[in-house]
Amino acid sequence: MAAGKGSYDWRFDSGRLCLDLVATGIGTSGACELLDSADRLADWLVATGLVPEDTRLDAVDDSWLASFRQLRTGIDLLLTAELGGRDADGALERVNELAAGAPPGVRAVRARNGLLVRALSADLECRALLSAVARDVVELLTDPVARAGLRRCEGDNCRRLYLDTSRGRRRRWCSSEVCGNRERVARHRRRAAEATVPAELTS
């Protein structure tokens, strides 16, 4: 597999890397699996910024895909339990185990145009990338301010987790432009339908 090219349109509006990973799963943003191949995972890794652009991603294979999906499931279970005031110690143990590892090392290198760009300081490793995501979960759960903003989207057919950083902490949707807009359109249609009922009854 060559370097990632950002060929897919991903949404990164949850407010955290770990929540963006959860959002790629079935039931979070519809009924489809967004990480359905090693190619898609490679593209997501670049799109998140975890892997610098132009990094060769030949190592990304189905075993990487399985590992990221497993971590995603664990994060979803853990954060869902936290929102419900329950424990998910098995998922927490796995996240802690991965977070204890070293994240990818980076360095600054000179690009062809003379500017400094970010590059990995060693070969791409799945474990290091999993560690970076797991550390983000630990940081989220141990930061009282961030943890207090964790929400589940109230949009129809959406289960996305997001951080509510709005003034007053009254945000209801993962995205005002996506789920919020859908809700406003649905509300308008309901009002329009209700307004036509009396006329229909009197005709």
Side-chain angles (χ1 to χ4, degrees):
M1 188 182 304
K5 300 184 184 304
S7 55
Y8 301 103
D9 292 325
W10 301 102
R11 279 180 56 193
F12 298 109
D13 48 13
S14 72
R16 297 296 293 227
L17 171 63
C18 61
L19 303 183
D20 287 332
L21 176 60
V22 173
T24 65
I26 294 173
T28 59
S29 58
C32 63
E33 168 63 71
L34 298 182
L35 294 181
D36 57 5
S37 68
D39 283 343
R40 292 272 279 184
L41 172 61
D43 189 84
W44 184 84
L45 291 171
V46 174
T48 62
L50 267 173
V51 175
E53 289 188 26
D54 299 323
T55 301
R56 290 200 61 83
L57 301 171
D58 304 283
V60 180
D61 59 16
D62 288 344
S63 68
W64 286 49
L65 185 62
S67 295
F68 270 88
R69 284 181 176 178
Q70 288 171 357
L71 176 57
R72 181 183 66 189
T73 298
I75 294 170
D76 196 6
L77 287 172
L78 178 57
L79 297 183
T80 298
E82 282 294 310
L83 282 173
R86 303 184 306 276
D87 292 331
D89 290 340
L92 178 60
E93 182 178 344
R94 177 58 177 156
V95 164
N96 282 334
E97 178 189 340
L98 288 172
V106 295
R107 60 195 177 104
V109 298
R110 193 75 63 185
R112 290 181 183 176
N113 61 6
L115 295 177
L116 289 172
V117 296
R118 190 168 61 99
L120 296 180
S121 58
D123 290 340
L124 194 64
E125 293 182 355
C126 183
R127 179 82 181 198
L129 295 173
L130 292 170
S131 175
V133 179
R135 285 181 178 217
D136 190 54
V137 181
V138 171
E139 289 170 7
L140 168 59
L141 292 176
T142 57
D143 178 343
V145 175
R147 169 62 187 81
L150 184 63
R151 303 279 187 274
R152 178 80 70 181
C153 183
E154 296 180 22
D156 291 339
N157 302 316
C158 183
R159 294 185 59 252
R160 278 179 179 258
L161 292 163
Y162 66 93
L163 285 190
D164 181 4
T165 57
S166 66
R167 188 175 300 172
R169 298 283 178 106
R170 295 180 180 176
R171 182 173 153 197
R172 297 175 48 210
W173 305 294
C174 60
S175 169
S176 179
E177 291 76 19
V178 181
C179 289
N181 190 53
R182 285 180 192 151
E183 180 65 23
R184 287 186 287 272
V185 169
R187 194 182 309 146
H188 174 74
R189 287 178 178 164
R190 284 194 298 270
R191 286 189 192 130
E194 289 169 2
T196 62
V197 171
E200 292 171 355
L201 292 177
T202 57
S203 60

